[in-house]
Structure formats: structure tokens, C-alpha cells
Amino acid sequence: MHEMSIAEGIRGVIEDAAKANSFSRVTTLRLEIGRFAGVEKHALEFAFDVVMRGSPAEGAELQIIDIPGKALCYDCAESVEIEHRLDPCPNCGGGKLLAQGGEEMRIKDMEVL
């Protein structure tokens, strides 16, 4: 379950930010996750709650923002939104797509005290 290691990485970022910016508590953390990032959101929510115990983010609300999958269709030369990597182009039905978004995962922001 790599969601646990993701949560541990988030904890490290939070702890570093708390030291650098002199805050003691995170109340809300907003995390952007692309559709193709391969992250199981429910597992990440569970891991977040477990890993954040004893940290500035203990008890913080985790808000996950879904980033759509995007691709460039070589057949119609349009940038399109797709649900799955192997989906055809929703505009022309073409199958020559180059993924251009949806793999990212980043902390968007956090509310701190």
C-alpha cells in the first residue's frame, strides 16, 4: 500500500513547513491528485489519519481535489478530458492520444494555526 508512504511524505512536508513558518497546527490540508496518479483515495485518507498522529496535522481535515485526465488527440488535434488512459477521443473517436495531465499529486495549500 504505497498510500502509507505518500502520507509519510506529506507528514515530512508539513513538519518542515511548521519549523520554517512557525505554526503548530494544521486544520485543513488540500491535496490535488490526478486521475492517473494511481492513488487509492480511501486508502490515502486512512493512512493520513494514522500517519498524522503526533504531528501538527493530527486531526486535520484532508480534502482531496480530483484533477481530470487530459490528453492530446493526434487525430483531431484537440486537447480533451478522458476518464481512463486507453479511452478513445471523446470528440472524434480516435485512438491516438498522448496523456498530458492527470498524473500529478501535490499539496495545494493548508490552513494552519
Side-chain angles (χ1 to χ4, degrees), residues 14 23-30 48-49 52 55-63 109-113:
I14 291 168
F23 62 83
S24 61
R25 187 161 174 251
V26 176
T27 58
T28 304
L29 181 114
R30 280 179 278 285
F48 182 84
D49 287 340
M52 295 307 146
S55 80
E58 182 172 358
E61 177 186 4
L62 176 63
Q63 295 179 358
D109 59 18
M110 55 183 137
E111 295 175 14
V112 301
L113 299 175

Side-chain angles (χ1 to χ4, degrees), residues 14-70:
I14 291 168
E15 289 174 340
D16 291 346
K19 287 177 190 169
N21 298 291
S22 302
F23 62 83
S24 61
R25 187 161 174 251
V26 176
T27 58
T28 304
L29 181 114
R30 280 179 278 285
L31 185 65
E32 294 179 328
I33 300 178
R35 186 167 288 147
F36 305 145
V39 176
E40 173 55 48
K41 292 176 187 102
H42 294 295
L44 180 58
E45 289 167 344
F46 173 79
F48 182 84
D49 287 340
V50 171
V51 170
M52 295 307 146
R53 291 181 187 150
S55 80
E58 182 172 358
E61 177 186 4
L62 176 63
Q63 295 179 358
I64 296 176
I65 301 163
D66 292 318
I67 304 295
K70 294 187 180 183

Side-chain angles (χ1 to χ4, degrees), residues 32-37 41 65-71 79-85 99-106:
E32 294 179 328
I33 300 178
R35 186 167 288 147
F36 305 145
K41 292 176 187 102
I65 301 163
D66 292 318
I67 304 295
K70 294 187 180 183
S79 181
V80 295
E81 195 171 300
I82 54 176
E83 292 288 321
H84 306 286
R85 285 187 178 276
Q100 293 189 315
E103 296 177 342
E104 56 269 49
M105 183 176 63
R106 64 181 156 259

